[in-house]
Amino acid sequence: MANSSVDLVFEGFDTTDELGDVRAEVPEGLPDIQNDELIKSVLTKGVDLRQYSRQIEQELNDLEDEQLASYEEHESALFELDSEIRSCDEVLENMERLLVNFKSSLGAINNDIQSLQNDSLSMSVRLKNRVVAEKQLDKIIQGVVVPPDAVRLICNGEVNERYLECLIEVNKRIAYMRVHSKQHKRLKAFQEIQPELDRLCFRASFKLREFLLEKINVLRSLNSNAHVLQSSIFLKYRFFNHFLIERHPEAAVEVRDSYIHIMRQYYLDHFETYQRGLMKLERAVADKADVIGMEESNKLSLFGAAKPVVRDKANVFNLGARASSALIESEDSGPRAIVLSIASDANEKYTFEALFRSYSLALVDNATTEYEFIMQFFVSPKARQRITGSDMARMVFSHIFDPSMRVGEQFLKTYLETTYDALGVLLCVRIMSQLASELQRRQVPVLDSYVNSMNMLLWPRFQAILDGHIESAKRLASYKAKSKIDTQPPAIVRRYAELASSLLRLNQGYNTHVVALSLARLRTEVQAYLTHVADGSSDKHASLVFLINSYDLLLTVLYENGFSEREEEVSSWKQEFATTVMAFAESELEKHFGYLKLFVIDAERQSDIAQISADELGRTASVFNGEWRAQISAINSSIIQSFSNFRTGTEILHVVLGQLIIYYTRFHSLYDKRIARRAASASEICQPVGVQTVMVDIKKYRNNF
């Protein structure tokens, strides 16, 4: 038993003596043995190899015995270890079988999952296809099916808001059929529904035509308010007309023509009535005799008495408040239009431009409302986005408003045939300019021809009236001037000044060349007239005073109206005023200090200062010393008597005395140079008064006015 256990323990171990084999193999491995360090050490020491071999063998046997003893000592542990290993092997075999079964189960589950996934994908595709098909079918059903209630209401119901809602739905079905008829032409539903929709569309068109014509006929009454009906009925049901335009054009044309015919007469009657009422409120301003060159004394009647004047003479040449009450952009322009009943009850009268403004505003406001209505009612949304829609609106508007615009043109023609009021005509021009800007802001392009035709009537008449003023000034200049002149400004000066100021005010912001050119021509003729009157007088002093007073009045009026020298009109008259004042100053000095002026001029012409007579120099100084204060006082008195205007008199006095100082300073310079040559005899010549002394005395006259 022990032997069998040992055999079992050492099973697999070879215990045979291998020494002989080693020895037998030594000769073959001798070179390797010689390289061994231990062998080299033994050989070096001279040890007997046999003895050493037996020693080694004995050690190996001892080691083997020790090993066997160790194995025997641990025999039970090794058996236990072997048992545990076998148990582990069994457990591992069971685990292996479980894992193999689990793997088989996972494979089956994987196959099931793949099958389910394939089924899910297939179901998802079928679902998507069904959803797409359902949507398409739903669109088709919604696009072609008309609810029975809607059909009954459209065929037999009353036209109202509910009718409008049903008609919109039916129109959607018709539009869908037209768009998709080719795509779904093989569908039986399309083939069956199309004739029914056509009959339904025809029935709806018939009822809509009757409804719209009935509402349009209400506008025939003059007491009806068309704008209220347009906003409350027609615009509310504008889809009805759009439906007719798209589905039944013949009925739409009939409705449009009926509306045009009735509204044209409606507006014509209202504007004719309004125009006749406005004409009764007109206050005449000017007649043919009201020109700047016509004297009041010439307005005589057949029997020699003064012609009675009942016109608004205060506004013939002076603009006054006419602009603020007539122009549209003015903050004080008042109400939009004149109310005839209120104006008649108050017995008020207006200048024509205020009446023209009122008529034009009424026309523009009504035209704006009508054009916007036409664009919304008679032009379908699709056509509105194209040029044809705008053309259609223009055509309808033109048919409606042409008679009313002709009433306005005739209203203006009647006025222009008899008017001589240049300011009124120019105000009408400015009103049309502002109306054109307002129409552009409102984006209403249908009154351009009306504005242009009005301007073509206004500008020639304005030019003709100004030509009349120019001719009147020419006629005055052609008369023989009086030898004795009145130094006060004539009537033509104030008239011209007020007319020029008014025209300049109306030309501000416009800079119209026609107005500027006419003013320049008129200014030339007025200047020619004033020069003619001044040249005809035998009194040069009075002529200069006349011109200065006239220029001063002109400038005063221009300044009072807010114009400065930047205006050509002001700068031109200012230059004439300055030139005439300088001529007046020279004339006054010639009158009171002529000897001094003549001596200075003659002396300065001499090429050599020695040629100036010392005696003459002394006599001139002596005369000046004796009378200069009296002469300055005389000049002051003369200017006070000639000019009543404080500002003008002061300015002229300063110019005259300034010129005196200039001449006297030049005289002093000549005196100093000439006397320096004759220093020995300087005491024999009269010493002139110092320049500073004269200037101090002149300062006393600064505040005399």
Side-chain angles (χ1 to χ4, degrees):
M1 184 64 182
N3 291 334
S4 62
S5 299
V6 172
D7 292 338
L8 179 61
V9 173
F10 294 101
E11 183 180 359
F13 290 92
D14 190 3
T15 58
T16 59
D17 187 12
E18 297 178 353
L19 185 58
D21 294 335
V22 173
R23 290 173 182 167
E25 293 176 359
V26 169
E28 293 179 359
L30 186 59
D32 294 332
I33 295 173
Q34 291 176 353
N35 294 329
D36 186 84
E37 293 295 331
L38 183 59
I39 296 174
K40 284 182 179 181
S41 175
V42 172
L43 292 177
T44 303
K45 295 177 180 180
V47 179
D48 187 0
L49 294 176
R50 289 183 180 86
Q51 181 66 30
Y52 188 72
S53 174
R54 284 191 294 273
Q55 182 182 349
I56 293 301
E57 185 176 357
Q58 184 62 39
E59 291 178 358
L60 290 173
N61 291 330
D62 296 340
L63 182 61
E64 182 179 359
D65 293 339
E66 292 176 3
Q67 191 68 33
L68 289 173
S70 177
Y71 282 136
E72 290 176 356
E73 182 182 354
H74 295 86
E75 180 180 4
S76 60
L78 291 174
F79 276 110
E80 185 179 354
L81 177 63
D82 180 65
S83 176
E84 291 178 356
I85 290 173
R86 290 180 184 276
S87 176
C88 287
D89 287 341
E90 292 176 358
V91 173
L92 290 175
E93 287 178 359
N94 292 331
M95 290 293 296
E96 182 180 7
R97 284 192 300 272
L98 289 174
L99 290 175
V100 169
N101 293 333
F102 184 69
K103 181 179 180 181
S104 299
S105 299
L106 287 178
I109 293 173
N110 183 46
N111 293 333
D112 293 341
I113 291 174
Q114 289 181 352
S115 177
L116 291 174
Q117 185 177 10
N118 292 333
D119 293 342
S120 176
L121 291 174
S122 176
M123 293 174 66
S124 177
V125 171
R126 290 196 299 272
L127 178 61
K128 289 181 179 179
N129 292 335
R130 289 182 180 181
V131 170
V132 172
E134 183 180 357
K135 289 182 178 180
Q136 293 180 352
L137 289 174
D138 185 65
K139 288 182 179 179
I140 294 174
I141 292 172
Q142 293 295 331
V144 300
V145 175
V146 181
D149 293 341
V151 175
R152 286 192 294 270
L153 180 62
I154 288 176
C155 292
N156 303 314
E158 182 183 357
V159 179
N160 51 26
E161 295 183 6
R162 176 59 183 162
Y163 194 95
L164 174 63
E165 296 174 359
C166 294
L167 186 65
I168 292 175
E169 294 299 323
V170 171
N171 189 60
K172 291 180 181 179
R173 308 298 191 273
I174 297 173
Y176 182 86
M177 291 289 292
R178 290 190 176 183
V179 172
H180 299 88
S181 59
K182 294 182 179 179
Q183 181 181 358
H184 305 301
K185 62 181 179 180
R186 291 182 295 180
L187 291 178
K188 189 176 181 180
F190 271 69
Q191 298 173 3
E192 293 178 352
I193 198 65
Q194 185 63 56
E196 299 299 328
L197 283 178
D198 291 341
R199 284 192 289 272
L200 189 61
C201 178
F202 181 80
R203 178 60 181 171
S205 299
F206 175 78
K207 290 182 69 65
L208 295 179
R209 170 186 169 277
E210 295 296 325
F211 174 80
L212 293 176
L213 290 178
E214 178 185 354
K215 297 302 180 182
I216 290 173
N217 285 328
V218 178
L219 298 172
R220 292 181 181 274
S221 174
L222 279 175
N223 297 325
S224 63
N225 191 322
H227 295 164
V228 173
L229 293 175
Q230 286 173 349
S231 59
S232 62
I233 296 178
F234 292 103
L235 290 181
K236 180 180 179 181
Y237 297 113
R238 60 180 175 270
F239 179 77
F240 291 164
N241 195 52
H242 297 166
F243 182 85
L244 292 179
I245 293 172
E246 295 182 5
R247 310 303 176 197
H248 205 298
E250 295 82 1
V253 170
E254 183 180 358
V255 170
R256 185 190 67 200
D257 291 345
S258 177
Y259 178 84
I260 290 174
H261 175 73
I262 292 176
M263 289 304 294
R264 175 158 68 177
Q265 191 63 40
Y266 173 86
Y267 281 117
L268 179 60
D269 292 342
H270 279 80
F271 277 110
E272 283 183 340
T273 302
Y274 190 61
Q275 180 256 340
R276 288 193 295 269
L278 290 177
M279 291 182 68
K280 296 177 182 179
L281 303 177
E282 183 182 0
R283 179 178 69 240
V285 175
D287 57 18
K288 188 175 182 179
D290 289 313
V291 291
I292 63 171
M294 181 62 68
E295 295 293 340
E296 292 292 339
S297 59
N298 292 337
K299 294 183 180 180
L300 300 178
S301 65
L302 180 63
F303 300 100
K307 183 180 179 180
V309 179
V310 295
R311 298 176 181 269
D312 187 8
K313 296 303 180 183
N315 290 324
V316 175
F317 306 106
N318 186 8
L319 186 61
R322 293 174 68 180
S324 61
S325 62
L327 296 183
I328 298 171
E329 295 177 349
S330 173
E331 296 180 357
D332 302 326
S333 57
R336 296 289 294 174
I338 296 173
V339 181
L340 294 180
S341 58
I342 297 176
S344 299
D345 293 342
N347 197 24
E348 294 183 357
K349 296 294 181 179
Y350 301 88
T351 55
F352 177 80
E353 66 271 7
L355 305 177
F356 180 72
R357 167 190 176 273
S358 183
Y359 184 90
S360 299
L361 279 176
L363 182 68
V364 168
D365 290 342
N366 282 275
T368 300
T369 303
E370 188 64 30
Y371 178 75
E372 292 175 351
F373 170 78
I374 291 171
M375 285 293 293
Q376 296 183 55
F377 189 77
F378 288 103
V379 181
S380 63
K382 294 180 180 179
R384 203 176 301 154
Q385 299 174 0
R386 302 191 298 267
I387 301 178
T388 54
S390 178
D391 293 340
M392 171 62 71
R394 287 172 180 266
M395 184 272 291
V396 175
F397 180 87
S398 177
H399 284 308
I400 294 174
F401 260 84
D402 275 351
S404 300
M405 289 189 287
R406 285 195 292 270
V407 171
E409 292 176 5
Q410 187 60 41
F411 182 35
L412 182 62
K413 284 181 181 179
T414 303
Y415 166 73
L416 294 179
E417 287 174 357
T418 58
T419 187
Y420 293 90
D421 181 14
L423 299 182
V425 176
L426 188 55
L427 278 169
C428 292
V429 172
R430 297 308 179 220
I431 290 171
M432 295 313 301
S433 299
Q434 294 177 355
L435 284 178
S437 300
E438 180 66 15
L439 289 170
Q440 186 176 7
R441 186 188 66 82
R442 297 181 184 182
Q443 297 182 352
V444 178
V446 290
L447 288 180
D448 294 344
S449 60
Y450 174 76
V451 173
N452 293 334
S453 63
M454 290 300 199
N455 285 328
M456 291 179 67
L457 293 173
L458 288 166
W459 279 117
R461 185 55 185 167
F462 172 77
Q463 189 63 62
I465 295 174
L466 282 188
D467 288 343
H469 288 294
I470 294 171
E471 290 300 322
S472 68
K474 285 184 178 180
R475 285 195 301 270
L476 283 182
S478 65
Y479 298 156
K480 183 178 180 180
K482 300 178 181 179
S483 58
K484 186 177 181 181
I485 190 172
D486 184 1
T487 58
Q488 295 303 312
I492 186 176
V493 173
R494 174 165 288 279
R495 291 173 181 173
Y496 165 77
E498 292 178 348
L499 179 62
S501 299
S502 301
L503 294 178
L504 286 174
R505 283 177 59 189
L506 293 178
N507 204 36
Q508 285 180 325
Y510 298 94
N511 299 323
T512 308
H513 180 68
V514 174
V515 177
L517 183 61
S518 298
L519 269 178
R521 292 174 55 208
L522 190 59
R523 181 173 66 247
T524 301
E525 296 303 328
V526 171
Q527 177 62 48
Y529 165 73
L530 295 177
T531 303
H532 170 72
V533 174
D535 292 343
S537 174
S538 57
D539 187 349
K540 182 179 179 181
H541 174 81
S543 298
L544 293 174
V545 172
F546 164 77
L547 290 175
I548 291 174
N549 284 330
S550 298
Y551 297 152
D552 179 59
L553 177 60
L554 283 169
L555 291 172
T556 300
V557 174
L558 290 171
Y559 287 141
E560 287 176 351
N561 283 273
F563 299 107
S564 63
E565 295 185 16
R566 290 192 298 269
E567 295 287 344
E568 182 182 357
E569 189 74 19
V570 179
S571 62
S572 177
W573 290 115
K574 185 67 175 178
Q575 183 178 358
E576 293 291 340
F577 177 79
T579 302
T580 308
V581 167
M582 186 58 66
F584 177 82
E586 295 292 337
S587 175
E588 285 295 296
L589 293 178
E590 181 74 27
K591 178 180 178 181
H592 297 279
F593 294 97
Y595 61 93
L596 176 66
K597 177 182 174 183
L598 181 61
F599 176 81
V600 170
I601 293 174
D602 290 342
E604 288 178 345
R605 290 175 181 172
Q606 304 298 328
S607 58
D608 187 2
I609 194 67
Q611 296 179 359
I612 300 175
S613 173
D615 296 336
E616 187 67 24
L617 188 65
R619 283 193 297 272
T620 302
S622 177
V623 173
F624 184 84
N625 291 345
E627 61 181 22
W628 67 275
R629 283 191 175 87
Q631 294 298 332
I632 290 177
S633 179
I635 292 174
N636 180 59
S637 300
S638 174
I639 293 176
I640 289 176
Q641 295 174 3
S642 300
F643 307 103
S644 58
N645 188 312
F646 172 82
R647 178 186 55 81
T648 304
T650 302
E651 183 178 351
I652 294 173
L653 180 61
H654 289 173
V655 172
V656 174
L657 297 181
Q659 284 296 107
L660 173 61
I661 292 297
I662 292 174
Y663 279 113
Y664 192 61
T665 302
R666 290 158 63 185
F667 173 77
H668 248 279
S669 177
L670 293 172
Y671 180 87
D672 293 340
K673 293 178 181 179
R674 181 67 180 87
I675 298 307
R677 296 286 187 92
R678 299 180 58 187
S681 58
S683 59
E684 301 175 2
I685 302 177
C686 180
Q687 182 72 22
V689 178
V691 176
Q692 291 298 326
T693 302
V694 177
M695 293 180 66
V696 169
D697 202 73
I698 285 176
K699 290 180 181 179
K700 300 176 183 179
Y701 296 94
R702 283 187 174 181
N703 300 321
N704 280 3
F705 284 85

